[in-house]
Coordinates of all heavy atoms in Angstrom, one line a residue:
M1307 N 62.7 29.6 92.5 CA 61.7 29.7 93.5 C 61.0 31.0 93.4 O 59.8 31.1 93.6 CB 62.4 29.6 94.9 CG 61.5 29.7 96.0 SD 60.5 28.2 96.1 CE 59.5 28.5 97.5
K1308 N 61.7 32.1 93.0 CA 61.1 33.4 92.8 C 60.1 33.3 91.6 O 59.1 34.0 91.7 CB 62.2 34.5 92.5 CG 63.0 34.8 93.7 CD 64.0 35.9 93.4 CE 64.8 36.3 94.6 NZ 65.8 37.3 94.3
K1309 N 60.4 32.6 90.6 CA 59.5 32.4 89.5 C 58.2 31.8 89.9 O 57.1 32.2 89.5 CB 60.1 31.7 88.3 CG 61.2 32.4 87.6 CD 61.8 31.6 86.5 CE 62.9 32.3 85.8 NZ 63.4 31.6 84.7
I1310 N 58.3 30.8 90.8 CA 57.1 30.1 91.2 C 56.2 31.0 92.0 O 55.0 31.1 91.9 CB 57.4 28.8 92.0 CG1 58.1 27.8 91.1 CG2 56.2 28.2 92.7 CD1 58.6 26.6 91.8
I1311 N 56.8 31.8 92.9 CA 56.1 32.7 93.7 C 55.5 33.8 92.9 O 54.3 34.2 93.1 CB 57.0 33.4 94.8 CG1 57.4 32.3 95.8 CG2 56.3 34.5 95.5 CD1 58.5 32.7 96.8
T1312 N 56.2 34.3 91.9 CA 55.6 35.2 90.9 C 54.4 34.7 90.2 O 53.4 35.4 90.1 CB 56.7 35.7 89.9 OG1 57.8 36.2 90.6 CG2 56.2 36.7 89.0
L1313 N 54.5 33.5 89.7 CA 53.4 32.8 89.0 C 52.2 32.7 89.9 O 51.0 32.9 89.5 CB 53.8 31.5 88.4 CG 54.7 31.5 87.2 CD1 55.2 30.1 86.9 CD2 54.1 32.2 86.0
I1314 N 52.4 32.3 91.2 CA 51.3 32.2 92.1 C 50.7 33.5 92.4 O 49.4 33.6 92.4 CB 51.8 31.5 93.4 CG1 52.2 30.1 93.2 CG2 50.8 31.7 94.5 CD1 52.9 29.4 94.3
L1315 N 51.5 34.6 92.5 CA 50.9 35.9 92.7 C 50.1 36.4 91.5 O 49.0 37.0 91.7 CB 52.0 36.9 93.1 CG 52.6 36.7 94.5 CD1 53.8 37.6 94.7 CD2 51.6 36.9 95.6
I1316 N 50.6 36.1 90.3 CA 49.9 36.5 89.1 C 48.6 35.8 89.0 O 47.5 36.4 88.7 CB 50.8 36.3 87.9 CG1 51.9 37.3 87.8 CG2 49.9 36.4 86.6 CD1 53.0 37.0 86.8
T1317 N 48.6 34.5 89.4 CA 47.3 33.8 89.3 C 46.3 34.3 90.3 O 45.2 34.4 90.0 CB 47.6 32.3 89.6 OG1 48.6 31.8 88.7 CG2 46.4 31.4 89.5
L1318 N 46.8 34.6 91.5 CA 46.0 35.2 92.6 C 45.4 36.5 92.1 O 44.2 36.7 92.3 CB 46.7 35.3 93.9 CG 46.0 35.9 95.1 CD1 44.8 34.9 95.4 CD2 46.9 36.0 96.2
V1319 N 46.2 37.3 91.5 CA 45.7 38.6 91.1 C 44.7 38.5 90.0 O 43.6 39.2 90.0 CB 46.9 39.5 90.6 CG1 46.4 40.7 89.8 CG2 47.8 39.9 91.7
L1320 N 44.9 37.5 89.1 CA 43.9 37.3 88.0 C 42.6 36.9 88.6 O 41.5 37.4 88.2 CB 44.4 36.2 87.0 CG 43.4 35.7 86.0 CD1 43.0 36.9 85.0 CD2 43.9 34.5 85.3
S1321 N 42.6 35.9 89.5 CA 41.4 35.4 90.1 C 40.6 36.5 90.9 O 39.4 36.7 90.8 CB 41.6 34.2 91.0 OG 42.4 34.5 92.1
L1322 N 41.4 37.4 91.6 CA 40.8 38.5 92.4 C 40.2 39.5 91.4 O 39.1 40.0 91.6 CB 41.8 39.1 93.3 CG 42.2 38.3 94.5 CD1 43.4 39.0 95.2 CD2 41.1 38.0 95.4
F1323 N 40.9 39.7 90.3 CA 40.4 40.7 89.3 C 39.1 40.2 88.7 O 38.1 41.0 88.6 CB 41.4 40.9 88.2 CG 40.9 41.7 87.0 CD1 40.8 43.0 87.1 CD2 40.6 41.0 85.8 CE1 40.3 43.8 86.1 CE2 40.1 41.8 84.8 CZ 40.0 43.1 84.9
L1324 N 39.0 38.9 88.4 CA 37.8 38.4 87.8 C 36.6 38.4 88.8 O 35.5 38.7 88.4 CB 38.0 37.0 87.3 CG 39.0 36.8 86.1 CD1 39.3 35.4 85.8 CD2 38.3 37.5 84.8
V1325 N 36.9 38.1 90.0 CA 35.8 38.1 91.0 C 35.4 39.6 91.3 O 34.2 39.8 91.4 CB 36.3 37.5 92.3 CG1 35.4 37.7 93.5 CG2 36.5 36.0 92.1
S1326 N 36.3 40.5 91.3 CA 35.9 41.9 91.6 C 35.2 42.5 90.4 O 34.4 43.5 90.6 CB 37.2 42.7 91.8 OG 38.0 42.9 90.7
C1327 N 35.3 42.0 89.2 CA 34.6 42.5 88.0 C 33.2 41.9 88.0 O 32.4 42.3 87.1 CB 35.3 42.0 86.7 SG 36.8 42.9 86.4
G1328 N 32.8 41.1 89.0 CA 31.5 40.6 89.1 C 31.2 39.5 88.0 O 30.1 39.3 87.6
A1329 N 32.3 38.8 87.6 CA 32.1 37.7 86.7 C 31.3 36.6 87.2 O 31.4 36.2 88.4 CB 33.5 37.2 86.3
S1330 N 30.4 36.1 86.5 CA 29.5 35.0 86.9 C 30.3 33.7 87.0 O 31.2 33.5 86.3 CB 28.4 34.8 85.9 OG 27.7 33.7 86.1
T1331 N 29.9 32.9 88.0 CA 30.6 31.6 88.1 C 30.1 30.6 87.1 O 30.7 29.5 87.0 CB 30.3 31.0 89.5 OG1 28.9 30.9 89.7 CG2 30.9 31.9 90.6
E1332 N 29.1 31.0 86.3 CA 28.5 30.1 85.3 C 28.8 30.6 83.9 O 27.9 30.8 83.1 CB 27.0 29.9 85.5 CG 26.7 29.2 86.8 CD 27.1 27.8 86.9 OE1 27.1 27.1 85.8 OE2 27.5 27.3 88.0
L1333 N 30.0 31.0 83.6 CA 30.4 31.5 82.3 C 30.4 30.4 81.3 O 30.8 29.3 81.5 CB 31.8 32.2 82.3 CG 31.9 33.4 83.2 CD1 33.4 33.8 83.2 CD2 31.1 34.5 82.6
E1334 N 30.0 30.7 80.0 CA 30.1 29.8 78.9 C 31.6 29.6 78.6 O 32.4 30.5 78.8 CB 29.4 30.3 77.7 CG 27.9 30.4 77.9 CD 27.2 30.9 76.7 OE1 27.7 30.7 75.6 OE2 26.1 31.5 76.8
E1335 N 32.0 28.4 78.1 CA 33.4 28.2 77.8 C 33.9 29.2 76.8 O 35.1 29.6 76.9 CB 33.5 26.7 77.2 CG 34.9 26.2 77.1 CD 35.5 26.0 78.5 OE1 34.8 25.7 79.4 OE2 36.7 26.1 78.5
S1336 N 33.1 29.7 75.8 CA 33.6 30.6 74.8 C 33.9 32.0 75.4 O 34.6 32.8 74.8 CB 32.7 30.6 73.6 OG 31.4 31.1 74.1
T1337 N 33.2 32.4 76.5 CA 33.4 33.7 77.0 C 34.4 33.8 78.2 O 34.7 34.8 78.6 CB 32.0 34.2 77.5 OG1 31.6 33.4 78.6 CG2 31.0 34.3 76.4
K1338 N 34.9 32.6 78.6 CA 35.9 32.6 79.7 C 37.2 33.0 79.2 O 37.6 32.7 78.0 CB 36.0 31.2 80.2 CG 34.8 30.6 81.0 CD 35.1 29.2 81.5 CE 34.0 28.6 82.1 NZ 34.3 27.3 82.6
P1339 N 37.9 33.8 80.0 CA 39.3 34.2 79.6 C 40.2 32.9 79.5 O 40.0 32.0 80.3 CB 39.8 35.1 80.7 CG 38.6 35.5 81.4 CD 37.5 34.5 81.2
K1340 N 41.0 32.8 78.5 CA 41.8 31.6 78.2 C 43.2 31.9 78.9 O 43.9 32.8 78.6 CB 42.0 31.4 76.8 CG 42.8 30.2 76.4 CD 43.0 29.9 74.9 CE 43.9 28.8 74.6 NZ 44.2 28.7 73.2
V1341 N 43.5 31.0 79.8 CA 44.8 31.0 80.5 C 45.6 29.8 80.1 O 45.2 28.7 80.3 CB 44.6 31.1 82.1 CG1 45.9 31.1 82.8 CG2 43.7 32.2 82.5
V1342 N 46.8 30.1 79.7 CA 47.8 29.0 79.3 C 48.9 29.0 80.3 O 49.5 30.1 80.6 CB 48.3 29.2 77.9 CG1 49.4 28.1 77.6 CG2 47.2 29.1 76.8
V1343 N 49.1 27.9 80.9 CA 50.2 27.7 81.9 C 51.2 26.7 81.5 O 51.0 25.9 80.5 CB 49.6 27.3 83.3 CG1 48.6 28.4 83.8 CG2 48.9 26.0 83.2
T1344 N 52.3 26.6 82.2 CA 53.4 25.7 81.8 C 53.2 24.3 82.3 O 53.1 23.4 81.5 CB 54.8 26.3 82.2 OG1 54.7 26.5 83.6 CG2 55.1 27.5 81.5
T1345 N 53.1 24.2 83.6 CA 53.0 22.8 84.2 C 51.7 22.5 84.7 O 50.8 23.4 84.9 CB 54.1 22.7 85.3 OG1 53.7 23.5 86.4 CG2 55.5 23.0 84.8
T1346 N 51.5 21.2 85.0 CA 50.2 20.8 85.6 C 50.0 21.3 87.0 O 48.9 21.5 87.4 CB 50.1 19.2 85.6 OG1 51.2 18.7 86.2 CG2 50.0 18.7 84.1
I1347 N 51.1 21.5 87.7 CA 51.0 22.1 89.1 C 50.4 23.5 89.0 O 49.5 23.8 89.8 CB 52.4 22.1 89.8 CG1 52.9 20.6 89.9 CG2 52.3 22.8 91.1 CD1 54.3 20.5 90.4
I1348 N 50.9 24.3 88.1 CA 50.4 25.6 88.0 C 48.9 25.6 87.4 O 48.1 26.4 87.8 CB 51.3 26.5 87.0 CG1 52.7 26.5 87.5 CG2 50.7 27.9 86.9 CD1 52.9 27.2 88.8
A1349 N 48.6 24.7 86.6 CA 47.3 24.5 86.1 C 46.3 24.2 87.2 O 45.2 24.8 87.3 CB 47.2 23.4 85.0
D1350 N 46.7 23.2 88.1 CA 45.8 22.9 89.2 C 45.6 24.1 90.1 O 44.5 24.3 90.6 CB 46.4 21.7 90.0 CG 46.4 20.4 89.2 OD1 45.6 20.3 88.2 OD2 47.2 19.5 89.5
L1351 N 46.7 24.8 90.4 CA 46.6 26.0 91.3 C 45.7 27.0 90.7 O 44.9 27.6 91.4 CB 48.0 26.5 91.5 CG 48.1 27.8 92.4 CD1 47.6 27.5 93.8 CD2 49.5 28.3 92.4
T1352 N 45.9 27.3 89.4 CA 45.0 28.3 88.7 C 43.6 27.9 88.7 O 42.7 28.7 89.0 CB 45.5 28.5 87.3 OG1 46.9 28.8 87.3 CG2 44.7 29.6 86.6
K1353 N 43.3 26.6 88.5 CA 41.9 26.1 88.5 C 41.3 26.2 89.9 O 40.1 26.6 90.1 CB 41.8 24.7 88.1 CG 42.1 24.5 86.6 CD 42.1 23.0 86.2 CE 42.5 22.8 84.8 NZ 42.7 21.4 84.4
E1354 N 42.1 26.0 91.0 CA 41.6 26.1 92.3 C 41.3 27.6 92.7 O 40.3 27.8 93.4 CB 42.6 25.5 93.3 CG 42.6 24.0 93.3 CD 41.3 23.4 93.8 OE1 40.7 23.9 94.8 OE2 40.9 22.4 93.2
L1355 N 42.2 28.4 92.3 CA 42.0 29.9 92.6 C 40.9 30.5 91.8 O 40.1 31.3 92.3 CB 43.3 30.6 92.4 CG 44.4 30.3 93.4 CD1 45.7 31.0 93.1 CD2 44.0 30.7 94.9
A1356 N 40.9 30.3 90.5 CA 40.0 31.0 89.6 C 38.7 30.2 89.4 O 37.7 30.8 89.0 CB 40.6 31.2 88.3
G1357 N 38.7 28.9 89.8 CA 37.4 28.1 89.6 C 37.0 28.1 88.2 O 37.8 27.8 87.3
D1358 N 35.7 28.3 88.0 CA 35.1 28.2 86.7 C 35.1 29.5 85.9 O 34.5 29.7 84.9 CB 33.6 27.8 86.8 CG 33.5 26.3 87.2 OD1 34.4 25.6 87.0 OD2 32.5 25.9 87.8
L1359 N 35.9 30.5 86.5 CA 35.9 31.8 85.8 C 36.8 31.9 84.6 O 36.7 32.8 83.8 CB 36.4 32.9 86.8 CG 35.4 33.1 88.0 CD1 36.0 34.1 89.0 CD2 34.1 33.5 87.6
V1360 N 37.8 30.9 84.5 CA 38.7 30.9 83.4 C 38.8 29.5 82.8 O 38.5 28.5 83.4 CB 40.1 31.4 83.8 CG1 40.1 32.8 84.3 CG2 40.7 30.5 84.9
S1361 N 39.3 29.5 81.6 CA 39.6 28.2 80.9 C 41.1 28.0 81.0 O 41.9 28.9 80.5 CB 39.1 28.3 79.5 OG 39.6 27.1 78.7
V1362 N 41.6 26.9 81.6 CA 43.0 26.7 81.9 C 43.5 25.6 81.0 O 42.9 24.5 80.9 CB 43.3 26.4 83.3 CG1 44.8 26.2 83.6 CG2 42.8 27.5 84.2
E1363 N 44.7 25.8 80.4 CA 45.3 24.8 79.5 C 46.8 24.7 79.9 O 47.5 25.8 79.9 CB 45.1 25.1 78.1 CG 45.7 24.0 77.2 CD 45.5 24.3 75.7 OE1 44.8 25.3 75.3 OE2 45.9 23.4 74.9
A1364 N 47.3 23.5 80.2 CA 48.7 23.4 80.5 C 49.5 22.9 79.3 O 49.0 22.1 78.5 CB 48.9 22.3 81.6
L1365 N 50.6 23.5 79.1 CA 51.5 23.2 77.9 C 52.1 21.8 78.1 O 52.3 21.0 77.2 CB 52.5 24.2 77.7 CG 52.0 25.6 77.3 CD1 53.2 26.6 77.1 CD2 51.2 25.5 76.0
M1366 N 52.6 21.5 79.3 CA 53.2 20.2 79.6 C 52.3 19.3 80.3 O 51.5 19.7 81.2 CB 54.4 20.5 80.5 CG 55.6 21.2 79.9 SD 56.9 21.4 81.0 CE 56.8 23.2 81.3
G1367 N 52.3 18.1 79.9 CA 51.4 17.1 80.6 C 52.1 16.5 81.8 O 53.3 16.8 82.1
P1368 N 51.4 15.6 82.5 CA 52.0 14.9 83.6 C 53.3 14.1 83.2 O 53.3 13.5 82.2 CB 50.9 14.0 84.1 CG 49.7 14.4 83.4 CD 50.1 15.1 82.2
G1369 N 54.3 14.2 84.0 CA 55.5 13.4 83.8 C 56.5 14.1 82.9 O 57.6 13.5 82.7
V1370 N 56.2 15.3 82.4 CA 57.2 16.0 81.5 C 58.2 16.8 82.4 O 57.8 17.5 83.3 CB 56.5 16.9 80.6 CG1 57.5 17.7 79.8 CG2 55.5 16.2 79.7
D1371 N 59.4 16.6 82.2 CA 60.5 17.3 82.9 C 60.5 18.8 82.4 O 60.9 19.0 81.3 CB 61.8 16.6 82.7 CG 62.9 17.3 83.6 OD1 62.7 18.3 84.2 OD2 64.0 16.7 83.6
P1372 N 60.2 19.7 83.3 CA 60.2 21.1 82.8 C 61.6 21.6 82.4 O 61.7 22.6 81.6 CB 59.7 21.9 84.0 CG 59.3 21.0 85.0 CD 59.7 19.6 84.6
H1373 N 62.6 21.0 82.9 CA 64.0 21.4 82.5 C 64.3 21.0 81.1 O 65.2 21.6 80.5 CB 65.0 20.8 83.5 CG 64.7 21.3 84.9 ND1 64.1 20.5 85.9 CD2 64.9 22.5 85.6 CE1 64.0 21.1 87.0 NE2 64.5 22.3 86.8
L1374 N 63.7 20.0 80.6 CA 64.0 19.5 79.2 C 62.9 20.0 78.2 O 63.1 19.7 77.0 CB 64.0 18.0 79.3 CG 65.0 17.3 80.2 CD1 64.9 15.8 80.2 CD2 66.4 17.8 79.8
Y1375 N 61.9 20.7 78.7 CA 60.8 21.1 77.8 C 61.3 22.1 76.8 O 62.0 23.1 77.1 CB 59.7 21.7 78.7 CG 58.6 22.3 77.9 CD1 57.6 21.6 77.1 CD2 58.5 23.7 77.8 CE1 56.7 22.2 76.4 CE2 57.5 24.4 77.1 CZ 56.6 23.6 76.4 OH 55.6 24.2 75.6
K1376 N 60.8 22.0 75.6 CA 61.0 22.9 74.5 C 59.7 23.2 73.8 O 59.0 22.3 73.4 CB 62.0 22.4 73.5 CG 63.4 22.3 74.0 CD 64.4 21.9 73.0 CE 65.8 21.8 73.7 NZ 66.8 21.6 72.8
A1377 N 59.3 24.5 73.8 CA 58.0 24.8 73.2 C 58.0 24.5 71.7 O 58.9 24.8 71.0 CB 57.8 26.3 73.4
S1378 N 56.8 23.9 71.3 CA 56.6 23.6 69.9 C 55.9 24.8 69.3 O 55.5 25.7 69.9 CB 55.8 22.3 69.8 OG 54.5 22.6 70.3
A1379 N 55.8 24.7 68.0 CA 55.0 25.8 67.3 C 53.6 25.9 67.8 O 53.0 27.0 67.9 CB 55.1 25.6 65.8
G1380 N 53.0 24.7 68.0 CA 51.6 24.7 68.6 C 51.5 25.4 69.9 O 50.6 26.1 70.2
D1381 N 52.6 25.1 70.8 CA 52.6 25.8 72.1 C 52.7 27.3 72.0 O 52.1 28.0 72.7 CB 53.7 25.2 72.9 CG 53.6 23.8 73.3 OD1 52.4 23.3 73.2 OD2 54.6 23.1 73.7
V1382 N 53.5 27.7 71.1 CA 53.7 29.2 70.8 C 52.4 29.8 70.4 O 51.9 30.9 70.8 CB 54.8 29.5 69.8 CG1 54.9 31.0 69.5 CG2 56.1 29.0 70.4
N1383 N 51.6 29.1 69.5 CA 50.3 29.6 69.1 C 49.3 29.6 70.2 O 48.5 30.6 70.3 CB 49.8 28.6 68.0 CG 50.5 28.8 66.6 OD1 51.1 29.9 66.4 ND2 50.4 27.8 65.8
K1384 N 49.3 28.6 71.1 CA 48.5 28.6 72.3 C 48.8 29.8 73.2 O 47.8 30.5 73.6 CB 48.6 27.3 73.1 CG 48.1 26.1 72.4 CD 48.4 24.8 73.2 CE 48.0 23.6 72.5 NZ 48.3 22.4 73.2
M1385 N 50.0 30.1 73.4 CA 50.4 31.2 74.2 C 50.0 32.5 73.6 O 49.5 33.4 74.3 CB 51.9 31.2 74.5 CG 52.3 30.1 75.5 SD 54.0 30.2 76.0 CE 54.9 29.4 74.5
S1386 N 50.2 32.7 72.3 CA 49.9 33.9 71.6 C 48.4 34.2 71.6 O 47.9 35.3 71.5 CB 50.5 34.0 70.3 OG 50.0 33.0 69.4
S1387 N 47.6 33.1 71.6 CA 46.1 33.3 71.5 C 45.5 33.4 72.9 O 44.3 33.6 73.0 CB 45.5 32.2 70.7 OG 45.6 30.9 71.4
A1388 N 46.3 33.2 73.9 CA 45.7 33.2 75.3 C 45.5 34.6 75.8 O 46.2 35.6 75.3 CB 46.7 32.5 76.2
D1389 N 44.6 34.8 76.7 CA 44.4 36.1 77.4 C 45.4 36.3 78.4 O 45.7 37.5 78.8 CB 43.0 36.1 78.0 CG 41.9 36.0 76.9 OD1 41.9 36.8 76.0 OD2 41.0 35.1 77.1
M1390 N 45.9 35.2 79.0 CA 47.0 35.4 80.0 C 47.8 34.1 80.0 O 47.4 33.0 79.8 CB 46.4 35.5 81.4 CG 47.4 35.7 82.5 SD 46.5 36.0 84.1 CE 47.8 36.9 84.9
V1391 N 49.2 34.3 80.1 CA 50.1 33.2 80.2 C 50.8 33.1 81.5 O 51.2 34.2 82.0 CB 51.2 33.3 79.1 CG1 52.2 32.2 79.2 CG2 50.5 33.4 77.7

């Protein structure tokens, strides 16, 4: 539960930071900060909070059990190339 609250707070801080920087709501896809999240729930929350200010990608698709998830080499590459995880 603490991890979920921490992720929510980090997402909120990111969105507030982007808004306070005066980021335009009409950013091009290539200039948006890339955020990689674990589950679709966190992806939806991040999209709702940050709107069009960031590009969000979830590592796990719908129906994947997070307790059984193991990161692939591609997932590790996505995380290492992201601006925020």
Side-chain angles (χ1 to χ4, degrees):
M1307 185 67 179
K1308 288 182 181 181
K1309 289 182 182 182
I1310 292 173
I1311 293 172
T1312 302
L1313 288 172
I1314 291 170
L1315 289 174
I1316 289 171
T1317 305
L1318 180 61
V1319 169
L1320 172 66
S1321 63
L1322 291 173
F1323 172 75
L1324 292 171
V1325 170
S1326 69
C1327 289
S1330 169
T1331 57
E1332 297 293 327
L1333 292 175
E1334 292 181 29
E1335 193 67 30
S1336 62
T1337 60
K1338 292 181 184 180
K1340 182 180 176 187
V1341 179
V1342 174
V1343 297
T1344 52
T1345 65
T1346 55
I1347 295 171
I1348 303 295
D1350 292 341
L1351 178 65
T1352 305
K1353 288 175 186 176
E1354 285 297 317
L1355 290 173
D1358 291 335
L1359 297 176
V1360 298
S1361 172
V1362 180
E1363 182 176 1
L1365 295 177
M1366 289 180 254
V1370 175
D1371 184 351
H1373 300 103
L1374 302 175
Y1375 170 76
K1376 293 187 181 186
S1378 67
D1381 292 342
V1382 173
N1383 287 337
K1384 289 176 187 176
M1385 288 187 280
S1386 64
S1387 67
D1389 297 308
M1390 182 172 207
V1391 178

